[in-house]
Amino acid sequence: PQVIILTPTSELSQQILIVAKSIGTYMTEINYSYTVGGSNRTENIKELGGDKKETDKVAQLIVATPGRLIPLLLLTDPG
């Protein structure tokens, strides 16, 4: 990832992701990750680069809450 935005709530994360996607409308190569409690954990691991088979899905911009991101980072193999 090139940008990690940590927010205290999932609602704020969602609002920031909407704004980031609207700013990046013309940047079609950017992958985003919405990493908050309740989101798909397996997809989040892929987006963080934990699945070496799917490197095209690694997110450049991650919007997350610390409660979800920290445990996922501890699970991901730094490789």
Side-chain angles (χ1 to χ4, degrees), residues 5-23 32 61-63:
I5 301 171
L6 287 176
T7 66
T9 65
S10 58
E11 292 82 9
L12 183 56
S13 291
Q14 187 175 28
Q15 291 171 358
I16 290 173
L17 184 64
I18 290 168
V19 171
K21 283 185 174 183
S22 68
I23 291 171
Y32 300 90
L61 188 141
I62 298 170
V63 182

Side-chain angles (χ1 to χ4, degrees), residues 33-36 39-50 68 72:
S33 175
Y34 178 62
T35 307
V36 298
S39 58
N40 187 317
R41 189 174 171 163
T42 305
E43 274 301 308
N44 288 153
I45 291 171
K46 289 178 187 175
E47 293 165 349
L48 293 175
R68 173 61 82 141
L72 287 178

